[in-house]
């Protein structure tokens, strides 16, 4: 439990800061841009649950994001559903989608899962384009409900909501990482056959990761129609989401929940600046180039680079992932006690 | 749907299918035989199509342009493979995810690069055989489809023969099966794979020419063809050349029939639908190893 | 008393190659069984079928009274089967302690994790194997010997009733062979049933109560070690005479 007190304190501070910001800052654009960055934090974190932990690469994150968005649109049009309901149902729908894709392809090699995610992206886009209830290819306008008195505008409400979602997503990712679930996923990534032979239910864990990842991506997408006041397939299914969801964790570092956050904040902010000042195609090109560069040169991402720097100054770290095991923290017994014989060193 | 319409759709489908086979055959080599997660293959085909377009602006016939570009693309393929091998294959464990992400990044850069240079509008070429139709009995077949069919057949059969009869071709097949044994016999697996990847990329030049002959191209086409090429490569059974032809025809006919009955907006989903079906039911494909 | 492991008429082919042909085998509780045979005779395939890494084409596997033929590998481990791999497969991105923690968390302590002292148990198991001082080292940087000890430690962490060792002593010096043999014999004295596949004859002869010799997917000979050594079939297979 003590691992969590620092994290919870930080989370509360962030949400409090977000609420305070809505009273103090006048410039609406700040909330607009920050919403996008927070949204990418959720997307990147979601991606990494399956990609970083288990090693399966999702190329179709845009589809899960857009499915969440369009689920919200359908709910608004059909039932005028409140935001909370939209979020919950979107999570269920995209979680189910993740489960389905996983059930079909996670038994096969990694590349087939990846291709299946591209397939799902194209199929979802085709379905949406042909579905006039949610606006088809022309798109549909969505009215923002009036903002409650606490926030100046509905956009500010969405900003705080997204901050909350980001904190929840990161908390889930952190829990998965430091718990036995995370260890199981890493075992699968390192050597699936060995993991299975030591009792890890590989398929179940992979399905869990795929479902959780899909659900979180859908949650990230659900507030999108309200945020934009309009939605149409080209922007909802934009390739930018697929590439960013992949590039941010890789650039930040896939080994820990911190990596996607770093990647999302850095890259998201850069994207906002470039889009406004230069062009959005160039922005997307830059993301692609950064992705390729990092994959080749710094595969452990920014986190890995930082670790290397620390290692040089502090001396060798014993292992890459220093995540403590549950239990009483004893040091190992010194030489000579309770062992069969001394070990020869290499 | 009337019987005549069905027949027409099937014939059109066969022509289309052979074209799909030609587009996918490079992937059958790169992914099927060499096990490279070459998700950027369709992007290279689109790149080839645009290169043919540029040469076409100077008056060059597209097929001729494709033939000229073939050696160029060969060397590009060799370079890409050498880089991929040095950066990823040598290093082992984590390479799967990174190699995949790498090719995804490359495909992405190609697409966005094309958008920046050419814009998102469609581009096409002109040639003597584009725009005319041939009549076979009661059917009218667009001439460009027949031309594409002919070239595709030549390409597919030619490559198939190359792999089974020539020394290098058989070495390529051998390296797909057992790299270590091949190395022990004195052949350098890396050089062979490099050569094979070069050939796979060279086919992209010709396939690109066919692509722009068949219809207009735009930068986003690559993503659509990911579905088609991987569908064909997987349905064929990874690495089987005759399988590629058969699988291409199956896809072509299926798409044609869907196009005639349900309309154009559903056609993109066919390839992906078949792919998911194959993965669920028989991942080894028709002629799988 | 029912045998702990009942292998009945198991066959397995890979394309045209017949790896196992109608193999039947019973293993008593507490028995020490040795399996020998030339390379390619099907020993590892048999182990893979028993443990669930491969599905046999026909035949059945019974463990502790229940039919496990259709069970996935991890469920068989949870029932009490553990194995080591011929080529060690460590979880390279984790420490040794974490490697051992995985079976502890997934087999031994399922359902009661919050009361468990995972780290303490992991350290104890590693110390038993002589790896205690490197508990926090990365498993990706171990020597061959230590990798095999880690394989054994991981298998033990699942507290199996049946331990299957696939050439665990390959490449070890004779002093190291004795060391591992001592550990395994000690485990058997505490009641663990052990199946050992080995090429090192000295180890097999010292270790086994009964030896089975495989060749080309069939059981060629079966009996106590002294008889196997004299068996004409076995001599023919190994010495060609």
């Amino acid at each position: 439990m003590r691992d969590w007190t620092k994290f919870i304190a930080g989370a509360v501070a962030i949400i409090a800061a977000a609420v305070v910001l809505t009273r103090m800052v006048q410039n609406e654009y700040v909330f607009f841009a920050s919403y996008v960055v927070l949204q990418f934090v959720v997307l990147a974190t979601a991606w990494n649950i399956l990609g970083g932990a288990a090693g399966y690469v999702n190329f179709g994150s845009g589809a899960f994001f857009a499915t969440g968005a369009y689920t919200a649109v359908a709910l608004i049009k059909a039932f005028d559903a409140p935001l909370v309901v939209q979020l919950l149902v979107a999570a269920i729908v995209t979680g189910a989608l993740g489960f389905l894709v996983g059930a079909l392809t996670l038994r096969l090699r990694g590349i087939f899962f990846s291709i299946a995610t591209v397939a799902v992206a194209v199929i979802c886009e085709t379905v949406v384009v042909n579905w006039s209830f949610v606006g088809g290819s022309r798109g549909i306008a969505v009215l923002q409900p009036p903002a409650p008195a606490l926030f100046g505008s509905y956009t500010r409400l969405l900003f705080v909501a997204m901050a909350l979602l980001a904190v929840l997503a990161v908390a889930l990712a952190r829990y998965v990482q430091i718990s036995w679930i995370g260890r199981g996923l890493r075992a699968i990534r390192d050597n699936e056959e060995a993991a299975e032979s030591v009792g890890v239910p590989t398929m179940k864990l992979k399905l869990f990761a795929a479902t959780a990842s899909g659900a979180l991506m859908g949650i990230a997408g659900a507030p999108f129609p309200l945020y934009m006041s309009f939605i149409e397939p080209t922007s909802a299914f934009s390739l930018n989401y697929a590439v960013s969801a992949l590039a941010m964790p890789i650039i930040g570092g896939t080994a820990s929940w911190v990596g996607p956050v770093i990647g999302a904040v850095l890259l998201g902010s850069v994207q906002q600046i470039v889009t406004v000042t230069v062009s959005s195609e160039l922005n997307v090109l830059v993301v692609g180039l950064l992705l390729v560069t990092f994959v080749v040169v710094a595969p452990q991402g920014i986190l890995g680079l930082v670790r290397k720097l620390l290692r040089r100054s502090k001396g060798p770290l014993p292992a890459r992932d220093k995540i403590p095991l549950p239990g009483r923290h004893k040091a190992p017994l010194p030489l000579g006690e309770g062992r069969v014989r001394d070990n020869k060193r290499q | 749907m009337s019987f005549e319409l069905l027949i027409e759709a099937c014939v059109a489908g066969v022509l289309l299918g052979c074209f799909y086979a030609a587009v996918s055959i490079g992937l059958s080599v790169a992914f099927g035989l060499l096990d490279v997660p070459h998700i950027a293959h369709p992007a290279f085909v689109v790149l080839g199509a645009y290169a043919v377009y540029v040469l076409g602006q100077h008056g060059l016939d597209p097929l001729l342009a494709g033939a000229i570009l073939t050696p160029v693309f060969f060397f590009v393929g060799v370079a890409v493979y050498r880089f991929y091998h040095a950066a990823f294959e040598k290093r082992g464990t984590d390479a799967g995810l990174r190699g995949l992400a790498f090719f995804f990044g490359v495909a992405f850069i190609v697409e966005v690069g094309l958008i920046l240079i050419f814009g998102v509008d469609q581009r096409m070429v002109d040639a003597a055989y584009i725009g005319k139709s041939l009549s076979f009995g009661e059917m009218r077949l667009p001439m460009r489809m027949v031309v594409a069919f002919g070239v595709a057949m030549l390409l597919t059969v030619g490559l198939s023969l190359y792999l089974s009869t020539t020394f290098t071709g058989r070495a390529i097949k051998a390296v797909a099966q057992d790299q270590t044994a091949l190395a022990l016999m004195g052949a350098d697996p890396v050089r062979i794979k490099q050569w094979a990847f070069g050939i796979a990329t060279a086919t992209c030049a010709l396939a690109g020419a066919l692509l722009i002959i068949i219809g207009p191209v735009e930068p986003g086409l690559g993503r659509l063809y990911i579905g088609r090429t991987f569908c064909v490569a997987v349905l064929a059974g990874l690495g089987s050349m005759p399988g590629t032809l058969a699988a291409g025809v199956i896809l072509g006919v299926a798409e044609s029939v869907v196009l005639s009955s349900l309309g154009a907006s559903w056609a993109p989903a066919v390839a992906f639908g078949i792919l998911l079906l194959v993965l669920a039911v028989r991942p080894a494909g028709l002629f799988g190893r | 008393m029912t045998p702990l492991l009942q292998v009945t008429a198991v066959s397995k082919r890979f394309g045209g190659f017949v790896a196992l042909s109608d193999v039947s085998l019973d293993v008593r509780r507490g028995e020490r069984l040795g399996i020998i045979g030339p390379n390619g005779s099907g020993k590892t395939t048999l182990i893979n079928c028993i443990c669930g890494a491969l599905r046999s084409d026909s035949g059945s596997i019974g463990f502790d009274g229940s039919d496990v033929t259709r069970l996935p590998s991890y469920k068989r481990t949870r029932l009490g089967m553990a194995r080591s791999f011929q080529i060690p497969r460590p979880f390279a991105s984790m420490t040794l302690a974490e490697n051992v923690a995985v079976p502890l968390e997934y087999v031994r302590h399922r359902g009661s994790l919050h009361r468990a002292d995972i780290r303490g148990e992991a350290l104890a198991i590693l110390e038993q194997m002589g790896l205690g001082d490197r508990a926090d080292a990365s498993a990706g940087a171990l020597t061959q010997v230590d990798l095999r000890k880690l394989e054994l430690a991981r298998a033990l962490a699942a507290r199996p009733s049946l331990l299957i060792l696939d050439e665990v002593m390959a490449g070890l010096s004779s002093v190291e062979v004795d060391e591992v043999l001592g550990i395994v014999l000690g485990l058997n004295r505490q009641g663990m049933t052990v199946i050992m596949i080995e090429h090192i004859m000295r180890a097999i002869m010292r270790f086994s109560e009964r030896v089975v010799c495989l060749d080309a997917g069939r059981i060629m000979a079966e009996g106590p070690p002294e008889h196997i050594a004299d068996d004409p079939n076995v001599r023919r297979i190994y010495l060609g005479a």
Side-chain angles (χ1 to χ4, degrees):
Chain A
M1 267 329 243
R2 64 177 181 77
D3 292 325
W4 283 99
T5 42
K6 275 191 274 182
F7 184 84
I8 293 177
V12 170
I14 288 177
I15 298 183
V19 176
V20 165
L21 233 60
T22 61
R23 312 310 307 266
M24 291 181 42
V25 177
Q26 298 299 339
N27 186 350
E28 198 73 9
Y29 180 73
V30 168
F31 299 104
F32 223 62
S34 312
Y35 173 91
V36 175
V37 173
L38 286 169
Q39 173 189 278
F40 276 119
V41 168
V42 179
L43 266 179
T45 302
W47 188 95
N48 203 39
I49 289 179
L50 192 58
Y56 283 88
V57 182
N58 185 345
F59 286 151
S61 313
F64 291 87
F65 176 82
T67 302
Y70 271 96
T71 306
V73 171
L75 286 171
I76 291 174
K77 278 210 72 186
F79 309 110
D80 206 13
L83 183 62
V84 178
V85 172
Q86 296 170 30
L87 290 175
L88 275 172
V89 177
I92 294 175
V93 169
T94 48
L97 188 62
F99 181 86
L100 199 63
V101 176
L104 269 175
T105 57
L106 285 175
R107 254 179 248 279
L108 309 168
R109 281 188 299 164
I111 188 173
F112 293 115
F113 171 77
S114 301
I115 295 170
T117 57
V118 179
V120 164
V122 172
I123 292 177
C124 282
E125 193 168 352
T126 309
V127 166
V128 163
V129 161
N130 284 307
W131 193 13
S132 53
F133 181 64
V134 291
S137 57
R138 278 184 346 230
I140 192 171
V142 176
L143 264 179
Q144 283 187 352
L150 184 59
F151 307 101
S153 68
Y154 202 77
T155 306
R156 294 173 194 231
L157 173 89
L158 288 178
F159 162 72
V160 173
M162 194 51 84
L164 193 62
L165 288 174
V167 164
L168 285 172
V170 171
L172 180 66
R174 182 171 190 269
Y175 172 71
V176 166
Q177 183 183 323
I178 66 179
S179 70
W180 55 280
I181 300 178
R183 225 182 319 277
L185 285 172
R186 270 180 295 141
I188 294 174
R189 188 195 60 196
D190 283 349
N191 199 307
E192 186 160 341
E193 210 186 329
E196 180 89 17
S197 77
V198 293
V200 175
T202 53
M203 195 61 191
K204 279 192 199 167
L205 273 186
K206 287 195 274 189
L207 280 176
F208 164 76
T211 310
S213 181
L216 277 178
M217 287 184 186
I219 275 191
F224 185 70
L226 281 171
Y227 166 78
M228 298 286 288
S229 300
F230 179 76
I231 187 168
E232 48 89 28
T234 316
S235 63
F237 283 93
S238 155
L239 199 57
N240 186 32
Y241 293 113
V243 179
S244 295
L246 187 109
M248 288 169 180
I250 288 184
I251 290 175
T254 55
S256 152
W257 61 269
V258 180
V261 175
I262 294 178
V265 170
L266 274 178
L267 212 59
S269 311
V270 166
Q271 278 193 353
Q272 288 295 303
I273 297 172
V274 172
T275 308
V276 168
T277 55
V278 188
S279 85
S280 60
E281 273 90 24
L282 200 60
N283 152 39
V284 158
L285 182 67
V286 166
V287 174
L289 284 168
L290 279 174
L291 169 66
V292 173
T293 311
F294 266 85
V295 162
V296 175
V297 168
Q300 313 294 350
I302 293 178
L303 268 187
L305 291 175
V306 167
R307 275 209 183 105
K308 276 200 192 143
L309 280 173
L310 284 177
R311 199 178 297 190
R312 287 224 188 99
S313 57
K314 278 190 189 170
L317 282 175
R320 215 176 81 197
D321 292 317
K322 276 218 80 174
I323 295 165
L325 293 171
R328 300 188 313 272
H329 279 263
K330 300 190 315 210
L333 287 179
L335 263 159
E337 285 184 38
R339 281 209 271 113
V340 180
R341 53 176 278 128
D342 287 337
N343 290 297
K344 296 189 281 287
R345 299 291 160 102
Q346 183 73 351
Chain B
M1 199 168 66
S2 78
F3 189 66
E4 286 153 359
L5 223 56
L6 186 63
I7 295 289
E8 260 200 57
C10 285
V11 173
V14 169
L15 296 184
L16 187 65
C18 288
F19 161 69
Y20 284 159
V23 172
S24 314
I25 200 155
L27 190 65
S28 281
V29 172
F31 179 54
L33 289 178
L34 303 178
D35 227 13
V36 176
H38 191 15
I39 206 158
H41 171 83
F44 282 5
V45 174
V46 174
L47 192 62
Y50 271 91
V52 167
Y53 166 76
V54 167
L55 289 178
Q57 298 292 82
H58 296 280
L60 220 52
D61 172 82
L63 284 178
L64 192 57
I68 293 176
L69 285 167
T70 302
V72 175
F73 271 60
F74 176 82
F75 286 113
V76 169
V78 169
V80 169
Y81 181 77
R82 289 184 79 149
F83 183 78
Y84 170 78
H85 179 72
F88 301 103
E89 259 182 357
K90 272 192 189 164
R91 299 199 197 157
T93 52
D94 218 8
L97 184 154
R98 291 166 51 216
L100 207 48
F102 169 73
F103 278 109
F104 183 64
V106 167
F108 187 68
I109 290 173
V110 167
E111 179 172 341
V112 178
L114 286 174
I115 292 180
L116 285 172
I117 300 177
F118 294 99
V120 291
D121 300 320
Q122 295 178 334
R123 306 282 170 162
M124 37 200 167
V125 287
D126 244 328
Y129 37 85
I130 298 179
K132 298 210 199 107
S133 303
L134 286 176
S135 304
F136 282 99
E138 290 176 358
M139 276 190 293
R140 296 182 62 84
L141 297 171
M143 189 151 178
R144 66 185 196 285
M145 295 296 297
V146 179
V147 169
F149 166 77
V151 175
M153 281 293 270
L154 279 174
L155 180 61
T156 319
V157 173
L159 195 55
S160 212
L161 281 175
Y162 174 79
L163 284 177
S164 40
T165 53
T166 68
F167 177 75
T168 329
R170 279 184 298 196
I172 293 174
K173 278 186 155 177
V175 97
Q177 292 196 14
D178 194 335
Q179 218 173 293
T180 326
L182 193 69
L184 288 173
M185 287 191 248
D188 180 1
V190 179
R191 288 201 66 187
I192 293 179
K193 291 207 272 191
Q194 185 177 293
W195 182 270
F197 200 84
I199 292 180
T201 313
T203 67
C204 294
L206 215 49
L210 295 179
L211 184 65
I212 200 169
I213 286 175
I214 285 207
V217 296
E218 39 107 16
L221 210 53
R223 242 174 312 135
L224 185 57
Y225 271 83
I226 289 181
R228 291 181 173 144
T229 50
F230 273 89
C231 170
V232 171
V234 172
L235 181 57
L238 292 175
S240 161
M241 296 301 123
T244 309
L245 202 52
V249 169
I250 292 176
L251 176 63
V253 171
E255 261 195 26
S256 242
V257 171
V258 167
L259 186 70
S260 303
S261 49
L262 294 176
S265 49
W266 285 103
V270 174
F272 282 110
I274 294 181
L275 177 60
L276 288 177
L277 198 65
V278 172
L279 287 180
V281 169
R282 192 186 150 84
L286 292 170
F287 294 79
R289 280 184 278 149
Chain C
M1 178 112 126
T2 42
L4 182 62
L5 179 70
Q6 285 172 293
V7 178
T8 315
V10 163
S11 299
K12 178 75 185 170
R13 39 188 320 154
F14 298 105
F17 173 64
V18 177
L20 290 176
S21 173
D22 207 31
V23 171
S24 294
L25 187 60
D26 281 352
V27 182
R28 258 181 25 245
R29 277 165 219 278
E31 187 173 6
R32 296 188 304 276
L33 179 74
I35 300 184
I36 60 175
N39 284 324
S41 52
K43 309 190 293 291
T44 299
T45 310
L46 179 62
I47 297 307
N48 282 336
C49 286
I50 293 175
C51 294
L54 283 176
R55 278 277 165 85
S56 58
D57 295 332
S58 59
S60 68
I61 316 267
F63 182 70
D64 206 8
S66 31
D67 182 8
V68 300
T69 325
R70 295 273 148 247
L71 275 190
S73 193
Y74 75 92
K75 282 196 175 157
R76 300 190 203 192
T77 307
R78 288 180 181 177
L79 284 177
M81 254 193 233
R83 70 170 295 179
S84 71
F85 286 92
Q86 196 172 358
I87 301 175
R89 296 168 185 241
F91 300 132
S93 75
M94 302 189 213
T95 63
L96 271 66
E98 286 185 294
N99 265 265
V100 176
V102 175
L104 285 176
E105 286 168 328
Y106 280 88
V107 181
R108 233 194 260 198
H109 290 291
R110 283 165 57 221
S112 61
L113 274 174
H114 60 277
R115 286 190 293 272
D117 176 17
I118 300 283
R119 183 172 166 82
E121 287 193 45
L123 286 179
I125 293 176
L126 286 172
E127 273 151 25
Q128 205 183 351
M129 298 303 307
L131 295 169
D133 58 326
R134 259 157 305 157
D136 293 322
S138 166
L142 286 181
T143 63
Q144 266 298 308
V145 185
D146 289 337
L147 278 176
R148 287 169 190 286
K149 288 187 183 173
L150 183 62
E151 283 281 299
L152 198 48
R154 234 174 29 186
L156 290 181
R159 212 182 267 167
S161 46
L162 171 64
L163 178 64
I164 305 180
L165 301 170
D166 194 351
E167 294 191 40
V168 71
M169 304 194 208
L172 299 188
S173 73
S174 75
V175 174
E176 287 159 347
V177 166
D178 286 332
E179 184 184 344
V180 174
L181 208 49
I183 296 174
V184 177
L185 285 169
L187 291 168
N188 176 256
R189 273 194 294 273
Q190 291 166 11
M192 198 179 289
T193 312
V194 183
I195 298 178
M196 182 186 286
I197 299 179
E198 258 322 320
H199 280 299
I200 302 177
M201 283 305 146
R202 182 171 67 83
I204 285 278
M205 294 303 159
R206 272 186 59 196
F207 168 80
S208 320
E209 292 173 317
R210 177 164 61 115
V211 175
V212 162
C213 178
L214 279 179
D215 184 36
R218 292 171 194 278
I219 295 183
M220 281 296 150
E222 191 176 339
E226 322 80 59
H227 291 181
I228 287 293
D230 291 330
D231 189 300
N233 280 329
V234 174
R235 300 199 112 142
R236 184 179 40 80
I237 293 167
Y238 274 100
L239 302 174

